Amino acid sequence: MKRVFKISIIVIVILIVLAIGLNIFIKAYLSKDKLKMIILPKAEALTGRKVTLQEIQVSLFKGIVAKELSIKERDAKRDFLKIREFVLSYRLLPLLKKELVLSKVTIGSPSLTILRERGGVYNFSDMMKRRPEGPPAPSPPKGQGLPISVVADKFFIRDARVIWMDEERKFPDFTVAFDAEFKGAIEKDGTPRLEFGRFLLKEMKANLKDMVIKASGKIEIDSKAIRADLEALIGEDSLRLSTTVKDYLSTPDVIANFHAKTLDLERFLALGSEKKATESEPKRREISKKVGEEGEAERLESDPFKKLKARGQVLVDVGKYQDYTFKDFRMNYQYAKGVMKIEPFDIKFSGRNSFNTDGSMNGNLQFVGQEVSTIQRTLRGKAVANLGKGVIKKSKIFDAISLLTGIGELKNPGFDQGLFHFDIREEKVYLDGFLKSGLFKISPRGWVNFEKILELPTELKISPSLTKGLRKKFASIEFLEDEQGWKTIPLKIKGTVDEPKVSLDEGALVKQIGPIFKRGLERFLERQGSEERKSSKKKEKIILEDLLK
């Protein structure tokens, strides 16, 4: 037992002596001055900026530790990049052969400030364009160099912080705090190869249009795919994005699912909207109309999004848009070759102001491109909306109908049921449907375009109780009437949604009443003689003319 104890003591002493000896050797070989002579001149030659290093230490177990390393701005005063601690871990045995083989690089508390200056120039643009000028930086004396045979295969970033600022305010300022780690290698030809990477996004914070946006989560990367699971807070709305991107270096194939517990859609859409100069809008619209489907396909040949494929699902539990509340929104989408397909989508909605009702809608959509003008021109789709019991208030269309007919009940009409079919094509929304109650039924069939221009031939049926309220000029017209006494009034609705023009559709009235009136006359004329027949035909002509007037 005593012998074993003595042997253990001897081994420990040997290890201590060996460690001390190696430490002395390493510090002699990797001196502070020698390291600074290599690092600082090369860094300044590469960046064209002043580079400072407060302290550098060499340790047997910790490796090479550089503290307070900073790359200055062009004014040589402010910090562009500042690193609190920079650690190079090396392998010991190669060092005995005077070869520095790095096994791990750790960057502690880096802080990077990116500034977009006026004119779209960035505070790092000069470094990106820089080429070595003048004589090369002095090399260390012969025999004192540090040949690096292998670059580190592990790379860690701890407590990183990135600050983005824009002097022109075209883009929002934001900050990002994260940790990261990578594992890879450098090929013989100098090409980097990534085996694995992970970002832990602690917080991304931005102020956009008086709204605070925060995001956090994790992103993992390997040679074949990127996987992300992020949570965001936009104002008071909570959102989650789960996505996988395969073949991200060649033909990206994306699966992205979006889930929001609550969503203010109007504010959300406003985040990405930026109105362009009005003076260029007419010209843009004119060009947009001239470009056909072939032109769009040709444009997509050079579109970077052409190779992108994406699919997934969008879910919103409860949302708001203006006066409407929607819930249980479900949408499946697929994007390929520049074409976005949404099929199906389902939504339940309710309105509690001007359009007070509950309902649901489902359908499909398809469009090409990313710009609003292109989307409008190529938008196609169909949808069906079912409406429950409700009331329409402050509608300019129903105000105009009420004013024309003289029926006050049509100004803010209540209805029991509604059904509408929508067909979106040719930059118009074609609709065919009805609203009905125990007093009336209105059935528009026409279109509305994206400029809110209307072309809606409409059939209005009113009950006997509403017939009494018709204006005199309407009461004198023999409208089509069914067995229950309901009258059918054909209307034309034109103008715009904001300024509709409602009038009697005389052409439809003739088509509606003419055949019935003519058949009645024919049956009457069959009982008359030939002379009376001639007279009756003259009366028929006069009556029809009076009817048109």
Side-chain angles (χ1 to χ4, degrees):
M1 189 69 175
K2 290 182 179 180
R3 187 176 180 181
V4 173
F5 179 73
K6 289 181 180 180
I7 293 174
S8 300
I9 293 295
I10 293 171
V11 170
I12 293 172
V13 171
I14 292 173
L15 291 175
I16 292 174
V17 171
L18 181 61
I20 294 173
L22 287 173
N23 195 44
I24 294 172
F25 168 77
I26 290 171
K27 288 187 176 182
Y29 181 62
L30 300 176
S31 66
K32 297 178 183 180
D33 294 336
K34 186 184 298 184
L35 290 171
K36 283 187 176 182
M37 189 181 299
I38 293 174
I39 294 173
L40 295 181
K42 289 188 176 181
E44 290 182 345
L46 181 64
T47 62
R49 302 283 185 87
K50 183 178 180 181
V51 180
T52 62
L53 178 61
Q54 187 180 81
E55 184 182 358
I56 189 166
Q57 299 175 347
V58 180
S59 170
L60 174 63
F61 300 105
K62 287 186 177 181
I64 302 171
V65 181
K67 293 186 177 181
E68 302 299 334
L69 174 67
S70 70
I71 300 175
K72 298 296 182 179
E73 289 280 9
R74 287 189 292 265
D75 60 8
K77 296 179 180 179
R78 296 171 298 161
D79 291 327
F80 168 69
L81 172 64
K82 186 173 183 179
I83 301 174
R84 183 179 60 82
E85 188 176 74
F86 192 90
V87 181
L88 301 176
S89 300
Y90 50 78
R91 294 174 184 170
L92 186 58
L93 293 179
L95 195 62
L96 299 177
K97 301 177 183 179
K98 296 188 177 181
E99 289 185 353
L100 182 60
V101 179
L102 303 176
S103 61
K104 183 173 69 173
V105 175
T106 303
I107 298 177
S109 301
S111 178
L112 173 66
T113 301
I114 300 176
L115 176 64
R116 185 179 183 273
E117 301 170 346
R118 298 190 180 279
V121 179
Y122 291 89
N123 61 337
F124 57 82
S125 299
D126 59 316
M127 289 190 287
M128 300 296 292
K129 297 178 182 179
R130 182 172 177 76
R131 297 288 183 273
E133 297 178 359
S139 301
K142 188 176 181 181
Q144 297 183 20
L146 296 178
I148 302 178
S149 59
V150 179
V151 176
D153 62 352
K154 293 180 182 179
F155 190 83
F156 297 88
I157 301 176
R158 298 286 182 257
D159 298 322
R161 182 179 176 85
V162 177
I163 302 171
W164 163 284
M165 294 182 292
D166 184 5
E167 289 185 346
E168 294 182 341
R169 302 298 180 188
K170 288 186 177 181
F171 301 97
D173 296 345
F174 66 86
T175 59
V176 180
F178 67 93
D179 291 339
E181 61 179 279
F182 303 94
K183 184 178 180 180
I186 301 294
E187 304 291 355
K188 293 181 179 180
D189 60 357
T191 304
R193 174 172 55 84
L194 177 66
E195 295 180 7
F196 177 78
R198 178 186 289 118
F199 282 91
L200 178 61
L201 183 61
K202 297 179 178 179
E203 183 183 67
M204 184 186 77
K205 185 177 180 180
N207 291 307
L208 182 59
K209 296 186 177 181
D210 299 325
M211 188 183 301
V212 178
I213 300 174
K214 295 181 180 180
S216 61
K218 63 179 181 179
I219 302 172
E220 294 183 349
I221 307 173
D222 58 32
S223 60
K224 296 181 179 179
I226 301 173
R227 299 171 184 84
D229 193 358
L230 304 173
E231 292 185 357
L233 194 65
I234 301 178
E236 298 179 354
D237 297 331
S238 176
L239 303 88
R240 183 170 182 174
L241 175 66
S242 177
T243 182
T244 299
V245 184
K246 299 179 180 179
D247 301 325
Y248 56 91
L249 295 177
S250 54
T251 54
D253 186 358
V254 182
I255 301 175
N257 297 315
F258 175 90
H259 180 209
K261 295 180 179 179
T262 60
L263 182 65
D264 188 330
L265 186 58
E266 188 173 15
R267 295 184 67 182
F268 183 78
L269 294 175
L271 294 177
S273 64
E274 191 68 33
K275 192 172 182 180
K276 298 181 181 180
T278 55
E279 59 183 7
S280 64
E281 183 68 15
K283 185 176 181 181
R284 181 193 62 77
R285 193 175 297 280
E286 181 181 353
I287 295 173
S288 175
K289 288 183 178 179
K290 290 182 179 179
V291 179
E293 295 292 341
E294 294 182 2
E296 183 64 30
E298 184 177 343
R299 187 190 68 80
L300 286 170
E301 289 296 327
S302 58
D303 195 330
F305 287 94
K306 184 187 175 185
K307 294 182 179 181
L308 174 67
K309 294 191 294 183
R311 61 192 183 279
Q313 188 178 58
V314 177
L315 308 176
V316 180
D317 295 341
V318 180
K320 293 182 179 180
Y321 182 75
Q322 296 181 354
D323 297 332
Y324 299 94
T325 299
F326 61 91
K327 58 182 180 179
D328 299 333
F329 175 70
R330 301 288 184 273
M331 181 184 86
N332 292 334
Y333 71 90
Q334 185 174 7
Y335 182 89
K337 297 181 179 179
V339 179
M340 173 67 81
K341 294 182 179 179
I342 299 172
E343 185 177 7
F345 71 84
D346 295 279
I347 186 173
K348 296 177 182 178
F349 60 87
S350 61
R352 292 294 177 263
N353 197 348
S354 57
F355 193 58
N356 191 329
T357 187
D358 295 329
S360 63
M361 179 183 289
N362 60 80
N364 60 79
L365 296 171
Q366 177 178 318
F367 58 84
V368 176
Q370 295 85 43
E371 297 182 358
V372 174
S373 60
T374 306
I375 292 173
Q376 287 184 357
R377 190 178 67 253
T378 60
L379 185 62
R380 305 286 186 273
K382 293 185 177 182
V384 178
N386 284 281
L387 306 178
K389 192 173 183 178
V391 178
I392 298 176
K393 300 177 182 178
K394 300 178 182 179
S395 167
K396 293 185 178 181
I397 291 178
F398 277 95
D399 286 348
I401 293 174
S402 176
L403 182 63
L404 177 69
T405 61
I407 302 174
E409 290 85 347
L410 294 178
K411 188 175 181 65
N412 297 308
F415 59 90
D416 299 324
Q417 182 186 358
L419 176 65
F420 288 92
H421 293 265
F422 301 94
D423 187 0
I424 306 171
R425 52 189 166 86
E426 302 167 352
E427 298 188 68
K428 296 177 181 177
V429 179
Y430 292 86
L431 62 94
D432 182 6
F434 67 86
L435 290 174
K436 70 177 183 179
S437 71
L439 297 176
F440 77 97
K441 180 179 180 181
I442 187 167
S443 304
R445 186 175 185 179
W447 55 263
V448 182
N449 67 11
F450 295 122
E451 283 74 38
K452 298 183 180 182
I453 297 174
L454 301 168
E455 186 70 50
L456 291 174
T458 301
E459 186 178 82
L460 173 64
K461 291 185 177 181
I462 56 175
S463 66
S465 60
L466 292 186
T467 303
K468 299 175 183 178
L470 281 173
R471 293 188 181 277
K472 289 183 179 181
K473 64 177 182 179
F474 274 69
S476 62
I477 299 175
E478 293 293 333
F479 291 110
L480 181 65
E481 186 174 320
D482 63 15
E483 296 177 354
Q484 286 78 33
W486 284 59
K487 291 183 180 295
T488 301
I489 304 174
L491 301 173
K492 287 190 297 184
I493 303 176
K494 292 189 174 183
T496 66
V497 173
D498 297 324
E499 296 183 2
K501 298 177 181 179
V502 181
S503 62
L504 184 65
D505 192 339
E506 296 177 354
L509 183 63
V510 172
K511 292 180 181 179
Q512 178 189 99
I513 299 179
I516 299 173
F517 184 68
K518 188 175 181 179
R519 284 196 298 271
L521 285 176
E522 287 175 349
R523 286 196 297 269
F524 174 75
L525 291 174
E526 287 176 357
R527 297 192 295 268
Q528 307 298 318
S530 58
E531 293 182 1
E532 293 179 351
R533 184 186 301 272
K534 294 179 182 179
S535 177
S536 296
K537 286 185 177 180
K538 291 180 180 179
K539 291 180 180 180
E540 175 187 351
K541 183 179 179 182
I542 294 171
I543 292 172
L544 283 173
E545 289 176 352
D546 290 341
L547 179 62
L548 289 175
K549 290 180 181 180

